[in-house]
Amino acid sequence: ATPVDLVWVIGCTEKSCRYQEGSHRLAGRVKYAQKYLEEIGLEADRLGHNRVTPGEPKELAQVLADIKARLQALGATPLKAAG
């Protein structure tokens, strides 16, 4: 497997999602996976999620800018140097 620097899940807001159960479970599953990352020595901030209202390009653009800033702040994953 190839190490990646950041993984982000973008879902729809619960009110506008046709898959309400999946949208509802999103935060809990991401939080669970973040704990696992910490257990193996990686930053939990390398995994995250946002919910965006469908049809709102400005909202999506802001989320993408925030994700890019987070990636730049974190830098490359330590796994790349190890492998």
Side-chain angles (χ1 to χ4, degrees), residues 4 9 11 13 15 18 32 49 59 66-67 72 74 80:
V4 296
V9 180
T13 57
K15 292 180 182 178
R18 74 169 69 158
Y32 175 82
H49 71 93
E59 183 182 358
D66 293 346
I67 294 168
Q72 290 172 338
L74 287 169
K80 287 185 177 176

Side-chain angles (χ1 to χ4, degrees), residues 4-83:
V4 296
D5 299 325
L6 186 75
V7 174
W8 215 263
V9 180
I10 299 177
C12 51
T13 57
E14 288 189 42
K15 292 180 182 178
S16 61
C17 190
R18 74 169 69 158
Y19 305 106
Q20 291 178 359
E21 187 173 339
S23 182
H24 178 71
R25 292 180 180 182
L26 173 64
R29 290 184 176 176
V30 168
K31 187 177 284 190
Y32 175 82
Q34 286 174 326
K35 288 179 186 179
Y36 183 71
L37 287 176
E38 288 177 343
E39 285 180 22
I40 62 172
L42 294 173
E43 302 100 324
D45 287 345
R46 293 192 180 276
L47 171 64
H49 71 93
N50 282 89
R51 292 188 178 125
V52 178
T53 305
E56 294 291 335
K58 289 182 182 180
E59 183 182 358
L60 179 59
Q62 182 60 54
V63 166
L64 294 175
D66 293 346
I67 294 168
K68 182 178 179 181
R70 180 180 296 246
L71 176 59
Q72 290 172 338
L74 287 169
T77 178
L79 295 176
K80 287 185 177 176

